[in-house]
Amino acid sequence: MSFEITGDAYDRFMGRYSTKLSPQLVDLAGVAVPQRVLDVGCGPGALTDELVRRVGAASVAAVDPSESFVGVVKERQPGVAVQRAVAEDLPFGDSEFDASLAQLVVHFMRNPVAGLREMSRVTRPGGTIAACTWDHVPGGEGALSVFFTASQRLDPDAPAETRMPGARRGHLGELFRAAGIKEVEETPLIASVVHPTFEDWWEPFMLGVGSTGEYLSKLDEAQLERLKDLCREELPPEPFTLNARAWAARGTS
């Protein structure tokens, strides 16, 4: 799976939902001046932007394994210390931050327990660790659930991401505890997005983002049209609002 894509493509695909999650995750983490905070797996910067609004760019650091996303955040938030790194090997010393957050990232960590343990390591004792992940279980209500349900109707071997870390209720909390994070609390977050038309919802899927983009690129024209029809069947009449659910957890280092 590749995220070496433009920031605009990601914004149109997932950013329409992630920007709704960011204020909620920051509220859950209790981020406020004068804290120094870390955004782990920042992508093109939805969560980074919200952290800057709360504490100022000089108090925010960010990392992401995608060189293209690092470049986007450097351009959008030049006052933020952003660099290329993976969650499992953060380029910081112990206890450098008051809070470390990861939005829609635990799904993609090679080793989520190690990644969360690293987040705890770089956070001061008693500091906050917070993360959220989409609800990707079969029949779930995550941002991609409609697409996954329809693609599975078309092709039972289509990617569904249902087994990704944190995809089911309670699993993110289990990962937090396995990483040694204390006082773990869990709660759902809802990202509500209004789609005026079906095409407004569908078009960003064709931008080649993540596993959905890879899957769509392999379909012929007839399969693609059939999948669109199946997606229409899963969605309400337009205009419609999707209430995408994410699982969130917070704890202390």
Side-chain angles (χ1 to χ4, degrees), residues 15-246:
R16 51 189 175 166
Y17 301 103
S18 59
T19 54
K20 306 286 187 179
L21 289 180
S22 298
Q24 300 177 64
L25 183 62
V26 174
D27 285 344
L28 181 67
V31 172
V33 173
Q35 291 180 337
R36 185 172 185 232
V37 295
L38 172 64
D39 181 357
V40 176
C42 61
L47 179 61
T48 311
D49 291 347
E50 185 62 30
L51 292 171
V52 168
R53 280 190 284 270
R54 301 294 181 101
V55 299
S59 296
V60 178
V63 298
D64 196 275
S66 166
E67 189 65 46
S68 60
F69 285 163
V70 168
V72 170
V73 177
K74 285 182 177 179
E75 181 177 350
R76 293 179 177 178
Q77 294 288 355
V80 170
V82 57
Q83 55 187 304
R84 187 176 185 181
V86 297
E88 296 88 347
D89 188 18
L90 294 174
F92 306 104
D94 296 352
S95 306
E96 286 197 28
F97 300 95
D98 297 292
S100 294
L101 289 73
Q103 177 168 286
L104 307 177
V105 174
V106 175
H107 281 325
F108 303 106
M109 291 180 183
R110 297 192 308 270
N111 185 330
V113 172
L116 291 168
R117 188 177 292 124
E118 271 287 272
M119 290 174 64
S120 182
R121 178 187 66 79
V122 302
T123 304
R124 64 169 175 80
T128 300
I129 315 299
C132 64
T133 51
W134 286 127
D135 173 9
H136 278 334
V137 298
E141 298 178 4
L144 302 179
S145 292
V146 168
F147 179 88
F148 289 149
T149 298
S151 61
Q152 289 283 304
R153 289 175 62 190
L154 176 72
D155 174 12
D157 294 325
E161 300 186 0
T162 57
R163 296 184 180 180
M164 297 184 80
R168 58 176 171 82
R169 181 192 293 271
H171 192 224
L172 189 57
E174 292 175 18
L175 295 171
F176 267 51
R177 295 181 187 94
I181 297 170
K182 301 179 280 292
E183 300 176 352
V184 177
E185 303 173 7
E186 299 174 76
T187 186
L189 305 178
I190 303 296
S192 297
V193 178
V194 177
H195 296 280
T197 64
F198 171 81
E199 290 299 331
D200 173 80
W201 176 84
W202 170 261
E203 188 270 339
F205 282 93
M206 301 302 296
L207 298 176
V209 180
S211 65
T212 58
E214 290 180 3
Y215 175 70
L216 288 170
S217 69
K218 299 174 183 177
L219 300 183
D220 61 31
E221 185 174 346
Q223 291 171 320
L224 191 60
E225 287 303 313
R226 176 56 180 157
L227 179 57
K228 288 181 68 173
D229 289 340
L230 291 171
C231 287
R232 283 192 182 95
E233 293 176 10
E234 296 291 333
L235 289 165
E238 55 187 41
F240 55 89
T241 300
L242 283 187
N243 297 310
R245 180 169 61 197

